[in-house]
Amino acid sequence: MPMRLTLLGPPGSGKGTLSTRIARRLRLPAVHVGALLRRHAAEATPLGRAAGAFLRRGDLVPDRLVTGLVLERLDQPDCARGFVLDGFPRTIGQAEALDEYLAARGAALDAACCLAVPDDELWRRLQGRGRSDDEELVIRHRLAVWARQTRPVLAYYRDRGRLAVVDAVGPPEVIAERLLSRVAALADGPTGRR
């Protein structure tokens, strides 16, 4: 059965780890938007040069740049049956663009999975990753950007009956089971499409 999911959550919530695990389980591609952007930046492509400064500051890459990148990736044949998105959409504009893209193909997002993690756990995780964009000031900025620009996306999906909030503390395999259980409950609920 086709499945189209996105994992939402603040930096350090485990989107990358869980999207890979869930995608393997569902035999779908995991689309890691941050990794795609970092690859473009490292290769100094036109998109990478345009996005690089935003990435270094911990700001969101403008919708016009990232939306095209993601939708182009979703047009690839391996995404025809579905996908697990990590790091998209991060704004209402991106969510609307994704919905329009899918609707034009007779499809819809099955669930937007919000990974809920307490702030102290986020800090512990982010400081332990060792990524170049995980310096304290950048971390603080990225968390503020999440609260200001991405948190409204949760309400967007809640209003459409597609938000699944998942406790994302614990071993990845346990969190993955919680997530899949919430997605199944959402699909079978009163607003589900099964």
Side-chain angles (χ1 to χ4, degrees):
M1 169 185 242
M3 181 72 65
R4 293 166 189 88
L5 303 175
T6 185
L7 273 59
L8 305 172
S13 59
K15 296 181 298 291
T17 300
L18 284 169
S19 59
T20 298
R21 183 176 287 272
I22 297 295
R24 265 195 222 120
R25 175 94 175 265
L26 299 175
R27 297 195 169 143
L28 297 171
V31 178
H32 302 284
V33 178
L36 285 174
L37 288 168
R38 286 189 294 274
R39 188 184 79 221
H40 276 270
E43 294 172 1
T45 67
L47 172 71
R49 287 192 299 275
F54 296 98
L55 294 172
R56 285 187 296 278
R57 287 192 310 263
D59 286 329
L60 294 184
V61 175
D63 288 359
R64 66 183 169 72
L65 296 176
V66 74
T67 300
L69 172 73
V70 172
L71 300 185
E72 180 181 293
R73 175 64 184 93
L74 297 183
D75 270 339
Q76 299 302 307
D78 65 329
C79 292
R81 282 186 52 249
F83 50 79
V84 180
L85 279 169
D86 156 22
F88 186 91
R90 291 195 175 188
T91 67
I92 297 293
Q94 291 174 13
E96 290 170 343
L98 178 60
D99 279 351
E100 289 170 18
Y101 168 88
L102 292 172
R105 287 151 182 78
L109 192 70
D110 292 288
C113 304
C114 175
L115 305 179
V117 180
D119 289 346
D120 59 337
E121 176 67 9
L122 287 176
W123 272 100
R124 187 189 67 71
R125 291 180 185 185
L126 289 168
Q127 291 176 323
R129 287 197 310 193
R131 252 176 41 186
S132 62
D133 59 347
D134 281 339
E135 298 169 9
E136 185 173 346
L137 286 176
V138 176
I139 291 171
R140 286 187 191 284
H141 182 68
R142 289 172 64 213
L143 291 171
V145 167
W146 154 260
R148 185 176 63 252
Q149 293 185 279
T150 306
R151 204 172 275 284
V153 175
L154 303 181
Y156 175 89
Y157 285 120
R158 183 180 298 112
D159 292 347
R160 287 155 181 77
R162 291 185 272 162
L163 182 66
V165 178
V166 180
D167 174 4
V169 176
E173 61 276 9
V174 172
I175 300 167
E177 288 304 319
R178 284 182 202 143
L179 188 148
L180 291 170
S181 178
R182 284 289 296 125
V183 168
L186 184 68
D188 292 336
T191 59
R193 287 179 295 283
R194 281 191 191 158

